[in-house]
Amino acid sequence: MIGDGVPASIPDPAAAPADSYRAALRWLATSRVAIALTLLAFVPLQGLGRFGAELDDPAWFERVVVVYLLAAILYLSTLHRFYGRFDAMLAVHALTDLLALTALMHAAGGLRTGVVVLLIVAVAGAAVVSSRRMAASFAAVATLLVLAEAGWSMLRGSGEPGVTMTAGLVGIACFATAMTVNWLAIRLHAQEEIAWRRGEDLRRQFAVTSQVVAELQQGVMVVDADGDVTTMNPAAHALLGAGAGVPTLAAGAPSAGGAAWASLRQAYARWREGGSAAHAEAELSLPAPGGGVVRIGVRFLGGDGSGDAVVILEDQRLVEERAQQLKLASMGRLSASIAHEVRNPLAAIRHANSLLAERIGDPALARLARIVEDNTVRIDRIVEDVLSIARRERAADESIDLRDFLKGFLAEFAAASGVDRQRIAVRLETDRPIRFDSNHLRQVLLNLLGNALRYASGAEGAVMIGWREREAHRLELTVADDGSGLPPEMLEHAFEPFFTTDSRGTGLGLYLTRELCNANGATIRYEAAPPPGRYRSAFVIEPKRGEPR
């Protein structure tokens, strides 16, 4: 790189002409037509006044001008067809200019006429869109033509004294003009390329930034010094309820945008007036569409009074949910660590209690031993649930035929739990397979069936496992029971860890079930049926769609 940021080695511009070179060549072709028309306009004046006396050969001048005008029109009309051969086209245009203008200069009276200026202009125009070597070649051709015209005039005896010196000066002027103009044009083109590349970088950066801002869960607004909102992402629209027109934060529009915008406008005015960090953050309490209150955290960035300000909006519920997730993750790691340490002493307690129970003959003491055994079993189940959450492996993408899977699973479940198999009914309304990890599906059904059988009646078919295609490509796996169902006040806590209404439960069954469903790309929800139906409550699993990998 050289001092001002222009590359030291500049590629030949004619080898791969840019749009600027093509535009410059079009202007040259247009100006060639204009010059030819101007020269042609002088032909009718050749017999009038002093102009006619200045032309050495008016007839030759007229013929050359007409041919030059026709060539100029031809070049301008066919310009777009030869951009692929830019060098050759430029050479033809430049040589035509030099030959025609030299002939016109000779017909007009030689170097003493003003046509020689047009010759220098033609050299300068060609140098704008050519390489250094081509610009020097055009200057050399122009110099040779001028010297040839001067020599021819001297041989004919019509040359004035000092014509050779004048021709030499014209040649020097051609070289100086060509090199200077070409050097400036190449540098300008290099700067144009740098500006274009930087513009492309800025456009790409702006596109990426706009995409990132549009996908943010946080609302982002850009406000100018007058309080007008210039940019809003979709999250800000959703939080503030902006319609088709974007309201302003200026103090003169108190009614625009509703209550949310009125509260934001007040906070913005306090920040502008206060200008301190104490006013850079605020919290808005807005009425929710379904009732209640939505809390929105607001932060103001930048904006020194004359520049743009950035307003960050964030739903506090999302912040609290993220904090709760981090807290649960920390609790999960701590619980897993504790559970791992509890297993060994718990196993020792169970083993010792079993040995002690074999030697106890007193029924009261035997009952106490059974209580110890039952509670150690319960603790062991809690430990197993906690560890299964902590060490859950990545789900395998399997395609499972539920007809065969449920046949083997229910037989094992009934044998292991001692439940009457007739209490569980199966209703398969479609033969489509389910996409789920088989081990995870087994654990999910164990939890849901155990929960359903705990609250269902003892009648035959009190619990029903259903599999159906509710809509096109929308499958549902249902575990329903004829129990009383969950009370409304417990619905929002059903899937929370350690929440249970059973004194013997661990509170981790439904939580683990939801985590396993999420790991397999499935969703789970609770549905309550109206009283006339037999099955009053059901947990519905919707597996992910599509074919297995």
Side-chain angles (χ1 to χ4, degrees):
M1 301 292 287
I2 60 179
D4 56 355
V6 180
S9 178
I10 301 176
D12 184 356
D19 290 340
S20 60
Y21 281 89
R22 297 181 180 184
L25 193 59
R26 283 195 298 270
W27 280 107
L28 288 175
T30 305
S31 63
R32 182 181 298 113
V33 175
I35 291 173
L37 287 172
T38 303
L39 294 174
L40 185 62
F42 287 110
V43 173
L45 304 177
Q46 60 184 336
L48 301 176
R50 295 179 60 253
F51 183 77
E54 291 177 356
L55 293 179
D56 286 355
D57 192 346
W60 176 251
F61 186 90
E62 180 179 357
R63 286 193 291 270
V64 173
V65 167
V66 171
V67 173
Y68 186 45
L69 177 59
L70 294 177
I73 295 174
L74 177 65
Y75 291 164
L76 180 61
S77 60
T78 60
L79 196 64
H80 62 283
R81 299 184 181 181
F82 299 100
Y83 279 138
R85 299 179 179 179
F86 193 85
D87 285 351
M89 180 172 58
L90 177 61
V92 170
H93 287 204
L95 292 176
T96 301
D97 288 336
L98 298 179
L99 290 172
L101 291 173
T102 302
L104 290 172
M105 180 179 63
H106 177 74
L111 294 175
R112 61 183 176 82
T113 64
V115 181
V116 69
V117 177
L118 295 178
L119 190 68
I120 298 175
V121 171
V123 172
V128 170
V129 290
S130 62
S131 63
R132 287 192 179 96
R133 184 175 299 177
M134 290 185 68
S137 300
F138 295 147
V141 171
T143 302
L144 291 175
L145 290 174
V146 170
L147 291 174
E149 196 279 332
W152 178 257
S153 299
M154 291 180 63
L155 289 175
R156 291 178 56 192
S158 59
E160 298 180 355
V163 68
T164 307
M165 178 66 70
T166 304
L169 292 176
V170 172
I172 294 174
C174 288
F175 271 100
T177 302
M179 293 297 97
T180 303
V181 171
N182 181 260
W183 178 74
L184 292 174
I186 290 179
R187 291 176 65 85
L188 181 62
H189 177 66
Q191 294 293 346
E192 181 187 19
E193 289 292 323
I194 293 173
W196 183 85
R197 286 195 296 269
R198 290 177 179 174
E200 284 296 308
D201 292 340
L202 287 175
R203 280 189 286 271
R204 286 194 294 268
Q205 183 178 0
F206 178 76
V208 172
T209 303
S210 299
Q211 185 66 28
V212 171
V213 171
E215 296 297 328
L216 286 177
Q217 291 184 340
Q218 294 177 323
V220 179
M221 299 168 49
V222 178
V223 186
D224 62 16
D226 296 328
D228 295 329
V229 178
T230 59
T231 303
M232 278 183 77
N233 69 340
H237 277 276
L239 289 173
L240 297 175
V246 179
T248 178
L249 296 183
S255 60
W261 282 89
S263 301
L264 179 60
R265 195 173 293 112
Q266 294 175 1
Y268 178 77
R270 287 195 299 269
W271 173 66
R272 280 292 191 188
E273 295 171 0
S276 62
H279 298 88
E281 296 187 7
E283 184 174 301
L284 308 180
S285 296
L286 307 175
V293 176
V294 177
R295 294 182 296 111
I296 299 177
V298 183
R299 283 187 296 149
F300 301 100
L301 306 176
D304 55 357
S306 59
D308 292 347
V310 179
V311 183
I312 307 296
L313 308 170
E314 189 166 16
D315 192 341
Q316 294 299 103
R317 291 175 301 180
L318 298 178
V319 177
E320 293 171 357
E321 288 177 2
R322 287 195 293 266
Q324 180 70 9
Q325 291 174 357
L326 292 175
K327 187 184 299 183
L328 289 176
S330 301
M331 289 178 58
R333 289 191 294 268
L334 177 62
S335 300
S337 177
I338 295 175
H340 183 73
E341 296 297 329
V342 166
R343 293 192 88 177
N344 291 333
L346 184 64
I349 293 173
R350 290 190 63 186
H351 182 67
N353 183 69
S354 299
L355 294 177
L356 184 62
E358 293 176 357
R359 300 185 180 185
I360 293 178
D362 188 349
L365 295 178
R367 180 173 175 275
L368 293 176
R370 284 195 301 273
I371 293 175
V372 173
E373 176 66 17
D374 292 342
N375 282 276
T376 53
V377 169
R378 180 185 175 192
I379 294 173
D380 186 65
R381 189 167 67 251
I382 295 175
V383 170
E384 186 61 34
D385 288 342
V386 170
L387 290 177
S388 63
I389 294 174
R391 68 192 178 197
R392 185 177 70 244
E393 298 179 354
R394 184 177 180 180
D397 195 359
E398 301 181 43
S399 180
I400 302 173
D401 184 358
L402 278 181
R403 191 177 302 276
D404 296 336
F405 179 85
L406 290 177
K407 185 182 299 183
F409 168 77
L410 291 177
E412 295 176 5
F413 177 80
S417 61
V419 176
D420 184 4
R421 173 66 180 79
Q422 300 301 319
R423 290 182 64 195
I424 305 174
V426 177
R427 182 185 300 168
L428 303 179
E429 300 180 11
T430 178
D431 293 330
R432 293 189 60 184
I434 184 174
R435 292 184 62 187
F436 224 93
D437 184 289
S438 57
N439 292 327
H440 289 179
L441 182 60
R442 188 181 303 275
Q443 184 65 38
V444 166
L445 290 177
L446 281 174
N447 292 336
L448 294 180
L449 283 177
N451 186 71
L453 290 169
R454 188 178 302 118
Y455 297 101
S457 66
E460 182 176 338
V463 176
M464 191 269 293
I465 301 176
W467 175 240
R468 64 172 180 168
E469 187 171 8
R470 185 170 183 174
E471 299 173 359
H473 306 292
R474 183 181 176 185
L475 301 170
E476 289 184 350
L477 177 63
T478 306
V479 178
D481 64 79
D482 60 359
S484 58
L486 291 176
E489 61 273 11
M490 294 183 181
L491 289 178
E492 58 179 325
H493 304 290
F495 293 99
E496 291 183 3
F498 305 108
F499 176 80
T500 180
T501 57
D502 187 358
S503 59
R504 297 171 298 172
T506 65
L508 291 173
L510 289 180
Y511 174 74
L512 177 60
T513 298
R514 186 186 65 179
E515 293 299 305
L516 291 174
C517 289
N518 292 339
N520 286 269
T523 60
I524 184 171
R525 67 180 185 275
Y526 175 80
E527 289 185 355
R534 178 181 181 183
Y535 300 105
R536 301 287 302 278
S537 63
F539 287 94
V540 181
I541 299 172
E542 285 193 32
K544 60 183 175 182
R545 305 178 184 182
E547 296 300 326
R549 293 188 297 271

